């Protein structure tokens, strides 16, 4: 009997968790015009600038930036970048400390968290020219 109750409790919680995912409109309202820094396992992971018309600029904080765009597909927020046309789809929820992003192309990947103060600056260096 306890097992059946546990199974019912787990399945009844699933729709509530799915409702917490941000819609494209909510994600756009939250991110547009901002630069968000993301952390993973307590360390800086990268940053993304969210521009008008769902355009973005991503960096792993190494001075190299990639332009791209995002769109909604099947309830996920998917990104494509200039160097990689394969969609990278994420689910986003809003936690007490900011966004929580989960890479849905590989659900075993660690979640990324919006970092409040990572002590880093997003810098995009110009193109490499000359020798």
């Amino acid at each position: 009997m306890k097992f059946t109750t546990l199974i019912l409790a787990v399945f009844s919680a699933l729709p509530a968790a799915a409702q917490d995912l941000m819609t494209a409109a909510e994600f756009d309202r939250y991110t547009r015009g901002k630069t968000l820094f993301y952390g993973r396992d307590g360390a800086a992971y990268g940053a993304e600038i969210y521009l008008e018309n769902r355009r973005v600029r991503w960096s792993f904080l190494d001075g190299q930036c990639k332009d791209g765009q995002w769109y909604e597909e099947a309830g996920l927020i998917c990104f494509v970048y200039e160097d990689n046309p394969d969609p990278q789809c994420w689910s986003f929820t809003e936690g007490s400390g900011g966004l929580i992003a989960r890479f849905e192309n590989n659900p075993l990947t660690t979640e990324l968290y919006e970092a409040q103060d990572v002590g880093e600056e997003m810098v995009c260096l110009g193109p490499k020219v000359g020798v």
Side-chain angles (χ1 to χ4, degrees):
M1 183 68 170
K2 288 182 183 180
F3 181 76
T4 303
T5 304
L6 176 62
I7 294 296
L8 290 174
V10 169
F11 283 111
S12 66
L14 288 178
Q19 291 173 353
D20 292 337
L21 294 183
M22 294 179 94
T23 66
E26 291 168 333
F27 181 76
D28 191 41
R29 265 192 308 278
Y30 186 94
T31 60
R32 191 179 336 130
K34 295 180 181 177
T35 300
L36 299 181
F37 288 80
Y38 292 96
R40 180 175 134 188
D41 297 328
Y45 182 80
E48 192 146 50
I49 300 171
Y50 296 89
L51 306 162
E52 293 293 324
N53 300 316
R54 298 183 174 186
R55 292 178 301 114
V56 294
R57 183 167 295 130
W58 169 262
S59 175
F60 284 105
L61 304 174
D62 59 1
Q64 304 302 309
C65 295
K66 302 174 188 185
D67 289 328
Q69 60 187 3
W70 68 268
Y71 60 93
E72 185 273 336
E73 184 174 295
L76 300 176
I77 306 298
C78 299
F79 297 82
V80 290
Y81 295 94
E82 61 191 352
D83 67 336
N84 184 2
D86 296 329
Q88 299 176 36
C89 297
W90 299 76
S91 60
F92 286 89
T93 56
E94 189 175 353
S96 60
L99 289 184
I100 301 168
R102 181 172 180 80
F103 188 51
E104 296 296 343
N105 293 53
N106 180 358
L108 299 178
T109 301
T110 303
E111 293 176 329
L112 299 182
Y113 298 90
E114 181 182 346
Q116 300 304 314
D117 182 10
V118 295
E120 297 281 344
E121 183 179 340
M122 183 171 169
V123 175
C124 295
L125 302 175
K128 296 179 181 178
V129 293
V131 179

